[in-house]
């Protein structure tokens, strides 16, 4: 799981948050973590690898190692600028003493849903997991041993399920944005900045709340662009002229220039998103606050599931949770807040990459024209799964049969589902939406679908990387669920649940209805 060096780096972060100095041994731990990471991957180099490939891999490992040193040192030093008297708070200017204009400022339910992207359920079983705030919320409330995501096990579809209670066959979100096949046969695209009404075809919690005069705030939530019923937004790429952005600028937490680019480190972005969440919760108190923290996903993609870097990201995410809890306490609303902490999916490592579009080139279905590839068949690779789309309507039936038979023989592919077969997995039906694939490909453990047009269809990935997207029955894909605070029973173990139960549970807490929800609420976790 983790190692002594990782824990030293994490402990260093905790010491800084307590206002204690960071010694040389803690900084040295970052180098030890990196060294052990590189050595672990070098042990798994294929024995037949060419010497040049050994050298290239060593260079890659060295560069990745430097990045990991910097990542862990930044995380260990996170919060070092915070004043010692307020170890979990950011410095605010006097201008923060403003009246609370939220719909739940004085009365009514307050639910805060925080997602820690990609945090696997199996991490919670590690007694050394450096997340004291999460553990405290878990002990004081209800938790699931595992939460099953929907297919595909990627970020946007599952975040949408968490606030609708329906799967992709209903809400139609199949990727991290709108899937678009250009009319000229060009490369398949995913467009994230698509209006919510074009992308999400199901009632959301914030829609139900707005119908009752209640409000929602969101920070880095997804599939929510230009949503009419979100009153207090602070987007993944925030609007510098937005109300929350102006709040943060007035408090001296960020500059307009930083907001305009918003291209710093994952840790910095999570910090600013947490600043925004604190501002919305305490100055504009909505009935529902949606918060999405992303660094836990980013570092697992780069360095692997449950890696040393991942554990540092988990620890930093915990400090973000602690800041939210402390802010609610300081604002005098803690006894009214229900905290729901969840993840959207788990994570797994892979050592071999499958490039399905390279196969389409070899099969003559993609052709190079004026430097770009075009064709009537494209595959959208998403780690453990891939969606194949056919624009050639007259030949679709024959192509489905041909490509199903072909991909079934490719090493690393566990199964190739027709659309009809994939519907049993919760995938949308052909004809119901243009987001429905003609074939749905599932990878075996240790393999992942990636982009790539030229070269071999399958090749080693050295060192290993992290991925998700594998079928939702995979133990490594299981997510976390913790509920704590107002109206939650203490010490409840829910066992294994589905994330389809989260939205109806939140709806019950908020006093609204989601008639289309596919599962009942988790009433066993709720106080009478």
């Amino acid at each position: 799981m983790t190692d002594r060096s990782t824990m030293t780096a994490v402990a260093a972060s905790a010491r800084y948050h307590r206002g204690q100095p960071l010694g040389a041994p803690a900084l040295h731990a970052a180098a030890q973590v990196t060294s052990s990471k590189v050595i672990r991957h070098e042990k798994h180099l294929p024995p037949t690898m060419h010497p040049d490939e050994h050298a290239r891999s060593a260079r890659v490992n060295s560069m990745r190692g430097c990045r990991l040193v910097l990542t862990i040192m930044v995380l260990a030093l996170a919060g070092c600028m915070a004043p010692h008297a307020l170890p979990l708070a950011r410095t605010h200017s006097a201008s923060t003493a403003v009246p609370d204009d939220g719909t739940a400022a004085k009365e009514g339910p307050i639910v805060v849903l925080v997602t820690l992207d990609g945090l696997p359920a199996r991490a919670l079983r590690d007694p050394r997991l450096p997340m004291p705030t999460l553990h405290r919320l878990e002990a004081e409330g209800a938790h699931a041993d595992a939460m099953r995501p929907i297919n595909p096990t990627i970020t946007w579809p599952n975040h949408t399920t968490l606030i609708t209670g329906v799967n992709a066959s209903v809400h139609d979100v199949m990727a991290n944005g709108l899937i678009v096949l250009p009319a000229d046969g060009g490369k398949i695209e995913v467009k994230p900045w698509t209006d919510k009404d074009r992308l999400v075809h199901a009632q959301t919690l914030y829609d139900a709340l707005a119908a009752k005069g209640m409000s929602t705030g969101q920070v880095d939530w997804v599939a929510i662009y230009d949503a009419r019923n979100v009153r207090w937004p602070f987007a993944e790429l925030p609007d510098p002229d937005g109300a929350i952005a102006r709040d943060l600028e007035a408090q001296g937490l960020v500059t307009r220039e930083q907001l305009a680019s918003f291209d710093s480190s994952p840790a910095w972005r999570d910090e600013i998103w947490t600043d925004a969440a604190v501002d919305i919760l305490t100055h504009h108190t909505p009935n529902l606050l949606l918060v999405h923290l992303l660094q836990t996903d980013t570092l697992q993609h780069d360095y692997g599931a449950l890696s040393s870097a991942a554990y540092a990201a988990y620890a930093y995410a915990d400090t973000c949770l602690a800041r939210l809890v402390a802010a609610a306490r300081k604002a005098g609303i803690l006894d009214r807040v229900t905290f729901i902490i969840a993840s959207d999916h788990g994570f797994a490592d892979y050592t071999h990459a499958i490039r399905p579009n390279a196969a389409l080139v070899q099969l003559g279905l993609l052709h190079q024209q004026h430097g770009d590839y075009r064709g009537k068949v494209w595959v959208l690779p998403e780690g453990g799964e891939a969606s194949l789309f056919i624009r050639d309507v007259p030949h679709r039936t024959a192509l489905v049969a041909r490509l199903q038979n072909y991909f079934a023989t490719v090493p690393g592919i566990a199964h190739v589902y027709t659309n009809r077969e994939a519907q049993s997995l919760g995938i949308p039906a052909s004809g119901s939406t243009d987001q429905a694939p003609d074939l749905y490909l599932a990878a075996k453990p240790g393999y992942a679908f990636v982009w790539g047009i030229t070269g071999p269809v399958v090749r080693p990935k050295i060192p290993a990387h992290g991925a998700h997207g594998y079928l939702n029955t995979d133990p490594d894909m299981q997510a976390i669920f913790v509920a704590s605070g107002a109206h939650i029973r203490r010490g409840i173990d829910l066992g294994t649940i589905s994330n389809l139960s989260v939205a109806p549970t939140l709806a019950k807490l908020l006093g609204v209805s989601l008639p289309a929800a596919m599962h009942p609420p988790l009433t066993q976790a709720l106080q009478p």
Side-chain angles (χ1 to χ4, degrees):
M1 299 291 264
T2 187
D3 56 27
R4 184 179 302 275
S5 299
T6 307
M7 297 310 298
T8 304
V10 168
S13 176
R15 288 203 301 277
Y16 245 118
H17 282 293
R18 292 194 298 268
Q20 299 173 5
L22 183 64
L27 290 176
H28 180 63
Q32 291 180 312
V33 168
T34 303
S35 178
S36 64
K37 174 82 176 177
V38 172
I39 292 171
R40 180 171 66 86
H41 286 305
E42 287 178 345
K43 288 180 180 176
H44 291 86
L45 290 174
T48 57
M49 182 178 285
H50 188 274
D52 289 344
E53 283 296 297
H54 276 289
R56 185 189 66 81
S57 179
R59 290 194 300 273
V60 170
N61 277 329
S62 177
M63 289 186 290
R64 282 163 54 87
C66 291
R67 289 169 56 199
L68 184 56
V69 167
L70 292 173
T71 297
I72 293 178
M73 288 177 68
V74 166
L75 290 170
L77 291 169
C80 67
M81 297 302 292
H84 291 183
L86 292 172
L88 292 175
R90 294 254 283 158
T91 304
H92 293 247
S93 70
S95 63
T96 61
V98 296
D100 190 328
D101 58 0
T103 55
K106 297 185 184 302
E107 60 182 3
I110 306 172
V111 174
V112 178
L113 170 58
V114 182
T115 54
L116 307 180
D117 200 310
L119 181 60
R122 57 196 170 119
L124 288 184
R125 296 193 288 270
D126 181 2
R128 300 171 297 174
L129 181 70
M131 302 188 74
T133 305
L134 181 62
H135 284 315
R136 185 171 68 252
L137 293 171
E138 179 183 9
E140 295 175 353
H143 75 279
D145 296 328
M147 183 170 71
R148 185 184 315 109
I150 65 157
N151 292 311
T153 57
I154 54 180
T155 297
W156 288 40
N158 278 279
H159 274 77
T160 304
T161 291
L162 289 172
I163 60 168
T164 62
V166 299
N167 64 18
S169 71
V170 179
H171 62 55
D172 292 340
V173 180
M174 280 289 293
N176 292 340
L178 186 73
I179 302 170
V180 176
L181 290 164
D184 63 359
K187 181 181 177 180
I188 191 170
E189 301 175 24
V190 176
K191 296 189 174 182
W193 313 123
T194 300
D195 285 358
K196 173 262 177 183
D197 289 342
R198 169 70 179 90
L199 186 61
V200 180
H201 300 149
Q203 183 188 30
T204 66
L205 277 168
Y206 52 81
D207 294 328
L209 288 168
K212 285 201 168 188
M214 302 164 77
S215 65
T216 298
Q218 71 91 359
V219 177
D220 187 37
W221 204 257
V222 297
I224 203 170
Y225 182 72
D226 206 24
R228 294 189 304 272
N229 291 326
V230 175
R231 183 168 176 181
W232 304 111
F234 189 82
E236 179 178 358
L237 296 179
D239 176 7
D241 294 317
I244 307 307
R246 292 198 303 270
D247 283 357
L248 300 188
E249 188 176 356
Q251 294 165 33
L253 296 172
V254 69
T255 67
R256 182 178 178 84
E257 291 71 26
Q258 289 170 331
L259 289 170
S261 59
F262 215 70
D263 60 355
S264 187
S265 69
W268 180 83
R269 290 194 295 268
D270 272 5
E271 180 179 73
I272 300 302
W273 287 327
T274 304
D275 288 336
V278 167
D279 181 72
I280 294 172
L281 181 62
T282 59
H283 294 163
H284 310 286
T285 312
N287 299 99
L288 174 65
L289 175 57
L290 306 171
V291 183
H292 172 216
L293 298 178
L294 187 56
Q295 183 179 219
T296 43
D297 179 90
T298 303
L299 293 189
Q300 289 187 101
H301 276 298
D302 286 347
Y303 298 107
L306 304 178
S307 61
S308 298
Y311 266 71
Y314 302 159
Y316 184 70
D318 196 75
T319 69
C320 296
L321 292 179
R323 289 182 57 203
L324 276 172
V325 174
R329 180 181 293 109
K330 184 177 180 181
I333 59 174
L334 184 60
D335 61 343
R336 295 173 50 213
V337 178
T338 306
F339 287 99
I340 307 293
I341 315 300
S343 55
D344 46 356
H345 51 72
F347 248 94
D349 284 353
Y350 69 97
T351 56
H352 288 80
I354 305 170
R355 302 185 302 159
N357 288 304
L360 297 180
V361 172
Q362 294 177 15
L363 293 170
L365 295 172
L366 290 178
H367 306 275
Q368 194 168 23
Q369 298 179 14
H370 309 296
D372 296 321
Y373 280 88
R374 296 190 182 337
K376 294 185 176 181
V377 182
W378 279 95
V379 178
L380 178 64
E382 288 281 6
E385 61 91 7
S387 294
L388 184 147
F389 294 85
I390 300 172
R391 292 184 62 96
D392 188 350
V393 177
H395 301 99
R396 177 172 289 154
T397 300
L399 283 170
V400 164
R402 176 188 175 193
L403 292 172
Q404 183 181 29
N405 290 333
Y406 169 79
F407 280 113
T409 67
V410 173
I413 296 183
H415 198 85
V416 182
Y417 298 89
T418 64
N419 179 267
R420 182 178 295 276
E421 293 168 339
Q423 290 174 40
S424 66
L425 303 175
I427 302 304
S430 292
S432 68
T433 172
D434 59 4
Q435 304 298 288
D438 295 289
L439 289 175
Y440 189 72
L441 286 60
K444 292 180 179 179
Y447 290 80
F449 296 105
V450 302
W451 284 105
I453 298 290
T454 60
V457 175
V458 181
R459 64 182 182 186
K461 186 70 173 180
I462 305 296
H465 281 56
H468 46 88
Y470 301 91
L471 292 181
N472 68 344
T473 52
D474 186 330
D476 289 349
M477 292 300 101
Q478 304 313 293
I480 71 162
F481 176 85
V482 172
S484 190
H487 313 299
I488 301 297
R489 296 174 62 195
R490 185 185 182 103
I492 301 298
D493 185 341
L494 298 166
T496 297
I497 66 171
S498 166
N499 70 356
L500 291 163
S501 294
V502 174
T505 302
L506 271 58
K508 190 171 183 67
L509 286 163
L510 292 162
V512 297
S513 175
L514 291 175
M518 302 173 77
H519 279 210
L522 300 165
T523 54
Q524 63 271 45
L526 306 180
Q527 294 177 357

